Amino acid sequence: MAKVSIGLRGWRFDEREVFTGDGEFRPLDEVPDDARQRLLRLIDLVEEPCDACYLVYGEGEKRRCNQATIVYGEPLEEVVLCDDHEADFLYWYREAGGKQYRGEAEFRDAFHEWFADGGRAPEGYAGLDHVETDPDALPDPPDPKEVQERIEAEAEFEGRRIDLHEYGDGDEGAREDGEDLDLDAVDLDTDYPTR
Ligand SMILES: [Zn+2]
């Protein structure tokens, strides 16, 4: 199955999970949870400065930071980097103990701490093993406004479905206990995993 990056290099998506055959973004409720979470997160991340640049320049000189082109880690604990700083990150991950934080909540903080303490890849560190991709050639994440509208439309749809569910059960009229169906009795968990 073809894997594709969206917006930033790094995170990879199953093309068929995220796009329709026509190359349009699938409605979010059709996208598996993991991919959906990353997709929504990318909408914010494509605007972010590189974490390492930000540590160097800070908020006061934010305009000197390069925009992020690559993302590593789990959503919300991710590290975003520019091309110049990717080698530092890879060095930290592979050679300076970063790997132990894989999947951990401390992932980003641990990298930031190492970098802020002066951690850098040695000159000429050639750790890059990804296929060079022009970030400009990557598909953009979905339009935030469109996503917002879809989320609202879905919420409305869910609301209607609950109503229909209630009417539907009432119409059967054959509930042996004869009690009116109240919302507490509607099994919402079927559609909403609780963990
Ligand atoms: Zn940078």
Side-chain angles (χ1 to χ4, degrees):
M1 202 178 293
K3 296 270 191 180
V4 62
S5 289
I6 299 168
L8 302 174
R9 289 188 288 115
W11 286 349
R12 313 271 283 158
F13 296 85
D14 265 329
E15 209 167 357
R16 280 189 298 187
E17 285 183 355
V18 179
F19 294 105
T20 65
D22 302 328
E24 298 289 324
F25 279 103
R26 288 190 181 283
L28 287 171
D29 56 348
E30 291 178 14
V31 178
D33 282 350
D34 167 66
R36 175 177 160 138
Q37 211 186 345
R38 287 183 296 144
L39 203 55
L40 289 172
R41 183 70 182 139
L42 273 175
I43 293 172
D44 295 328
L45 293 179
V46 289
E47 304 288 328
E48 291 286 311
C50 160
D51 283 2
C53 285
Y54 191 82
L55 288 167
V56 172
Y57 298 118
E59 186 66 32
E61 291 190 280
K62 204 173 171 182
R63 67 196 155 72
R64 295 181 66 181
C65 298
N66 293 323
Q67 211 174 340
T69 55
I70 186 153
V71 55
Y72 287 107
E74 309 293 322
L76 300 177
E77 297 301 338
E78 73 283 299
V79 173
V80 290
L81 301 151
C82 66
D83 293 346
D84 294 348
H85 284 119
E86 185 181 6
D88 294 324
F89 173 83
L90 291 174
Y91 180 81
W92 168 75
Y93 187 78
R94 292 173 180 157
E95 321 287 342
K99 203 174 223 159
Q100 63 180 299
Y101 296 103
R102 186 192 169 101
E104 301 290 327
E106 298 85 11
F107 180 77
R108 177 167 49 191
D109 287 348
F111 171 70
H112 284 189
E113 215 168 283
W114 177 82
F115 189 87
D117 276 352
R120 298 292 185 275
E123 194 69 33
Y125 178 69
L128 309 187
D129 62 0
H130 60 78
V131 182
E132 281 296 340
T133 316
D134 176 6
D136 295 335
L138 300 176
D140 291 328
D143 176 34
K145 225 191 288 170
E146 217 170 281
V147 166
Q148 186 57 34
E149 281 166 13
R150 269 180 182 165
I151 289 172
E152 280 165 15
E154 275 174 37
E156 205 173 291
F157 175 75
E158 293 296 335
R160 267 210 308 278
R161 193 164 63 165
I162 291 163
D163 287 342
L164 288 175
H165 192 154
E166 200 175 4
Y167 289 129
D169 279 345
D171 284 345
E172 279 165 30
R175 291 167 60 85
E176 289 183 0
D177 54 15
E179 283 173 20
D180 288 337
L181 185 74
D182 61 39
L183 266 182
D184 290 342
V186 178
D187 184 11
L188 291 174
D189 287 341
T190 359
D191 289 301
Y192 300 92
T194 49
R195 36 185 160 178

